[in-house]
């Protein structure tokens, strides 16, 4: 899933790749059919200092809202605030989160927040909730970039099947 503007979501992975994280990464690819097949999906990017949420409808982002995490006790409070602005309850939620996601759960080390996909689904009546690491989301999104989106670094010739890298400082 990709957004223009300040919200960018796709699918995540942690930088470090233990065998446990690798299994999580493979499972995270389930989000692609969810977002492509659903008409209304809430998407969220939860960082160490801020969160961005939007409603995806037919491939277009709307209702984009940004939140300062310090003003909320947990992600549920942000989600509750966001949902009150929507005309109807979406059935699915896709979340890119700063932290390692294992078995649908993540502990955000920068915030101390714990997220659990099953708990969020039950609390907000979503049929499906997918949590994925934010860097995995960005890396996975690179396959959707067009030539005009790319900027060479250090020379060379672009190759479609070449390695790709995502760099970022994190926390804001």
């Amino acid at each position: 899933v990709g957004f223009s503007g300040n919200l960018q979501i796709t699918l995540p992975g942690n930088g470090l790749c233990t065998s446990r994280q690798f299994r999580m990464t493979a499972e995270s690819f389930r989000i692609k059919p969810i977002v492509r097949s659903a008409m209304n999906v809430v998407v969220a990017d939860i960082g160490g200092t801020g969160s961005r949420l939007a409603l995806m409808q037919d491939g277009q982002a709307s209702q984009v809202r940004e939140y300062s995490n310090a003003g909320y006790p947990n992600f549920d409070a942000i989600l509750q605030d966001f949902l009150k602005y929507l005309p109807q309850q979406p059935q699915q939620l896709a979340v890119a989160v700063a932290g390692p996601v294992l078995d649908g759960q993540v502990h955000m080390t920068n915030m101390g927040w714990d997220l659990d996909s099953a708990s969020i689904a039950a609390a907000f009546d979503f049929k499906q909730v997918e949590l994925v690491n934010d860097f995995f989301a960005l890396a996975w999104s690179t396959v959707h970039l067009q030539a005009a989106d790319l900027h060479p670094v250090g020379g060379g010739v672009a190759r479609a099947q070449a390695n790709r890298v995502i760099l970022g400082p994190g926390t804001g």
Side-chain angles (χ1 to χ4, degrees), residues 74-126:
N74 52 42
F75 174 67
D76 286 8
I78 290 174
L79 183 58
Q80 183 173 14
D81 181 78
F82 178 77
L83 291 173
K84 73 182 180 186
Y85 295 102
L86 303 183
Q88 64 184 30
Q89 169 72 27
Q91 298 296 305
Q92 297 165 321
L93 171 67
V95 181
V97 61
V101 179
L102 300 171
D103 300 322
Q105 300 176 341
V106 63
H107 173 75
M108 296 181 64
T109 54
N110 290 335
M111 290 295 303
W113 290 358
D114 292 304
L115 284 77
D116 178 274
S117 58
S119 297
I120 294 170
F124 293 94
D125 198 29
F126 284 110

Side-chain angles (χ1 to χ4, degrees), residues 30-55:
R30 292 177 301 161
I31 200 168
K32 181 179 177 184
I34 293 169
V35 173
R36 288 189 177 196
S37 66
M39 294 190 58
N40 295 321
V41 178
V42 173
V43 291
D45 173 23
I46 307 171
T49 57
S51 295
R52 287 143 304 279
L53 287 83
L55 178 65

Side-chain angles (χ1 to χ4, degrees), residues 146-169:
Q146 303 299 312
D149 300 320
L150 305 176
H151 304 282
V153 175
V157 177
R159 292 177 31 201
Q161 300 303 318
N163 294 333
R164 299 157 193 250
V165 66
I166 298 293
L167 302 173

Side-chain angles (χ1 to χ4, degrees), residues 13-78:
N14 185 339
L16 302 175
C17 191
T18 67
S19 59
R20 193 169 172 201
Q21 289 167 330
F22 184 77
R23 282 195 308 274
M24 176 281 304
T25 300
E27 292 171 7
S28 297
F29 279 93
R30 292 177 301 161
I31 200 168
K32 181 179 177 184
I34 293 169
V35 173
R36 288 189 177 196
S37 66
M39 294 190 58
N40 295 321
V41 178
V42 173
V43 291
D45 173 23
I46 307 171
T49 57
S51 295
R52 287 143 304 279
L53 287 83
L55 178 65
M56 287 295 294
Q57 295 176 295
D58 301 320
Q60 299 296 314
S62 65
Q63 302 290 336
V64 177
R65 296 194 178 279
E66 295 188 34
Y67 296 86
S68 172
N69 291 347
Y72 295 87
N74 52 42
F75 174 67
D76 286 8
I78 290 174

